[in-house]
Amino acid sequence: MSERWARAMLSAYRYAGAAAYPLIGPYVAWRTSRGKEDRVRRRERYGVAGRPRPEGPVIWIHAASVGETIAVVPLVKSILDYGVNIVLTTGTVTSAQVADERLGDRIIHQYVPLDLKPAVSRFLDHWRPDLAIIAESEIWPMTMLELGARRVPQVLVNGRLSDRSFSSWKKRANIAEALFENLAHVVAQSDVDGERFRTLGARPVTVSGNLKVDTAPPPVDERALASLKRQIGERPTWAAISTHDGEEVVAAEVHATLHRRHHGLLTIIVPRHPDRAEALSAQISAMGLKLARRSRGDRITADTDILLGDTIGEMGLYLRLTEIAFVGRSLTSEGGQNPLEPAMLETAVLAGRNVQNFREAYQRLLDSGGAKLVRDRDMLAGAVNFLLTNEVARHEMMAAGAATVDEMRGALARTLKSLEPYIQPLIVKSRLKGADGR
């Protein structure tokens, strides 16, 4: 892409903002999350390295937030087994914690630099990556231009394009083509995503399936799980997880509707953003419901209506406390959240109809009977009531979801095959350097 193209594109982005170009939002995302970043490591946002560069080849892998980080963990581990150094960047404190918990000191973690030329240049000057692997939908103009100028291959893995993003890019086809031509390879999640990338000018494009399917189930602290199970006892439960604004109140209203029919019912609400817990606690308490907050260590007593899961990194705990899970950002918000984690833990999955970002996963679960979509609060209450009442139907749904996840596996192997032409030379180079002792 010419410098004139780059200037025009970046000027358009500065003028229109992230709303017009939904895939190009790192700077705006950082601006809106100020106050939540790791202040001790803030300089990394400006490309100032927090660690020395290791000897030998380096692969830069970027995963924006928690979901993407969890998705690339198996891929990172597979590459590490070849003996190649990895610098993993993420954009949030929570995703940094996930990287530390699951990968430890096997990788070098850095916060991703802002998509501004001085920050990106400083980052690349220090780390000198031999290959850049980006997860899902992180398309940054300046970073792509700088990598292209240095002739560093860029591969997008687990790539996806939402309906909104694809529509926006199609309106700016010339800009899209100028950007996507910088990608050496796109490994898309689904046939729909693959065709969308091809339409926008990406070449070559292969389809791998969703890397999230090949991840391990979310971990759990067994002692915490045993403690909560003792407190809950034989009470019936259901959960509303990864909820967004409005969905927590819907879940509380469903609880109020059902608790007389199902004696002792406990509803578990896990907001996508735990920093909303204070406001949610006030809202739910104002409805006359008694609430226990996990972050405060509140005990679940016989008269507790709601367990508010306002902690980070404990989804595996909450999902193991129930057999029914409504997955949020699908009823009052759009796009959906990942249904694969509850399904792989043999949980019956419910969701609203706005699940475009996980279209293929939901379609597979719906076809097998592992998930059901609901239209509104009343339909959600009816679905939860049915599953609580009908044990056989509930267990059939749980088993169907787990079986569907097993059938969907294989994305990791297909992704590694697509990456082989880029990684194999680095493996050889790393081994030769090791043999030379340099």
Side-chain angles (χ1 to χ4, degrees):
M1 179 164 49
S2 71
E3 194 67 24
R4 186 177 65 181
W5 261 110
R7 283 198 300 270
M9 181 179 61
L10 290 170
S11 176
Y13 173 53
R14 282 193 293 268
Y15 174 76
Y21 297 98
L23 293 186
I24 319 176
Y27 180 66
V28 173
W30 175 78
R31 293 280 295 181
T32 57
S33 65
R34 284 185 301 175
K36 302 177 185 177
E37 73 272 13
D38 186 338
R39 294 181 179 277
V40 175
R41 298 172 57 185
R42 181 182 291 177
R43 283 162 57 84
E44 292 174 21
R45 298 288 196 180
Y46 299 94
V48 179
R51 299 267 297 275
R53 184 194 191 279
E55 293 294 323
V58 167
I59 296 177
W60 172 21
I61 299 181
H62 174 65
S65 57
V66 173
E68 293 87 350
T69 303
I70 292 172
V72 301
V73 164
L75 177 63
V76 170
K77 289 180 176 178
S78 296
I79 296 173
L80 287 170
D81 288 342
Y82 293 129
V84 181
N85 300 301
I86 290 180
V87 173
L88 175 67
T89 58
T90 64
T92 66
V93 174
T94 311
S95 52
Q97 292 170 348
V98 169
D100 181 61
E101 290 167 2
R102 304 200 179 193
L103 296 166
D105 59 5
R106 295 190 69 193
I107 53 99
I108 296 173
H109 176 269
Q110 298 282 279
Y111 285 107
V112 69
L114 300 175
D115 195 38
L116 304 171
K117 183 175 174 59
V120 174
S121 296
R122 198 175 293 119
F123 178 90
L124 295 177
D125 286 344
H126 178 82
W127 294 109
R128 305 190 310 280
D130 299 273
L131 170 66
I133 299 174
I134 305 100
E136 297 211 11
S137 56
E138 291 286 296
I139 306 299
W140 305 340
M142 186 55 68
T143 300
M144 293 180 72
L145 289 170
E146 287 297 300
L147 285 167
R150 297 164 192 246
R151 301 188 181 279
V152 178
Q154 305 172 58
V155 180
L156 184 68
V157 300
N158 217 37
R160 66 179 177 88
L161 282 171
S162 68
D163 296 345
R164 183 180 298 178
S165 296
F166 181 56
S167 175
S168 181
W169 279 121
K170 278 204 305 181
K171 294 174 184 176
R172 301 158 182 85
N174 289 337
I175 293 176
E177 185 174 358
L179 271 178
F180 287 122
E181 71 179 8
N182 286 275
L183 295 171
H185 199 121
V186 172
V187 187
Q189 287 188 21
S190 69
D191 291 331
V192 170
D193 292 307
E195 188 55 40
R196 287 177 172 181
F197 279 111
R198 291 188 190 97
T199 299
L200 296 175
R203 298 289 189 279
V205 177
T206 55
V207 177
S208 66
N210 194 334
L211 280 175
K212 290 183 171 74
V213 183
D214 284 353
T215 60
V220 65
D221 180 328
E222 294 292 347
R223 292 180 62 183
L225 178 62
S227 175
L228 287 180
K229 281 188 171 181
R230 283 194 300 270
Q231 295 174 41
I232 295 170
E234 298 300 316
R235 298 174 61 178
T237 65
W238 76 285
I241 66 169
S242 300
T243 51
H244 286 240
D245 189 26
E247 291 172 332
E248 297 87 4
V249 171
V250 168
E253 291 172 342
V254 169
H255 176 90
T257 300
L258 298 180
H259 82 281
R260 290 185 181 88
R261 300 184 192 181
H262 302 279
H263 178 70
L265 178 65
L266 177 71
T267 295
I268 303 163
I269 299 178
V270 187
R272 175 68 172 173
H273 303 291
D275 58 335
R276 297 171 52 233
E278 201 67 40
L280 292 176
S281 179
Q283 276 185 299
I284 294 170
S285 296
M287 298 171 65
L289 300 174
K290 184 171 180 181
L291 179 139
R293 288 178 60 174
R294 170 68 179 158
S295 65
R296 294 181 176 177
D298 296 342
R299 286 189 62 80
I300 300 170
T301 59
D303 59 347
T304 300
D305 294 295
I306 308 288
L307 169 61
L308 185 61
D310 55 344
T311 55
I312 292 172
E314 291 195 307
M315 187 62 76
L317 172 67
Y318 302 122
L319 286 173
R320 287 173 173 87
L321 295 174
T322 189
E323 294 180 342
I324 305 167
F326 165 79
V327 183
R329 200 186 176 190
S330 60
L331 205 56
T332 63
S333 299
E334 292 188 2
Q337 296 286 175
N338 179 16
L340 298 172
E341 286 186 342
M344 69 176 61
L345 284 173
E346 295 193 55
T347 306
V349 174
L350 302 173
R353 296 182 172 184
N354 303 312
V355 293
Q356 302 90 330
N357 291 351
F358 295 88
R359 180 183 287 107
E360 185 180 24
Y362 272 105
Q363 191 61 61
R364 295 285 293 271
L365 288 168
L366 291 168
D367 290 344
S368 71
K372 178 180 176 62
L373 301 186
V374 299
R375 180 178 56 253
D376 51 26
R377 177 196 61 194
D378 292 342
M379 194 172 176
L380 175 60
V384 173
N385 178 59
F386 174 80
L387 292 172
L388 288 171
T389 305
N390 296 275
E391 184 177 358
V392 172
R394 183 173 74 248
H395 285 180
E396 287 177 349
M397 194 170 174
M398 292 158 56
T404 300
V405 172
D406 285 340
E407 292 169 4
M408 292 173 66
R409 295 189 188 277
L412 176 60
R414 290 186 284 271
T415 300
L416 284 168
K417 184 175 181 180
S418 296
L419 288 172
E420 187 176 353
Y422 308 98
I423 294 177
Q424 193 60 40
L426 305 183
I427 296 171
V428 173
K429 184 178 177 181
S430 180
R431 289 174 179 171
L432 288 174
K433 184 169 285 291
D436 291 344
R438 292 183 281 118

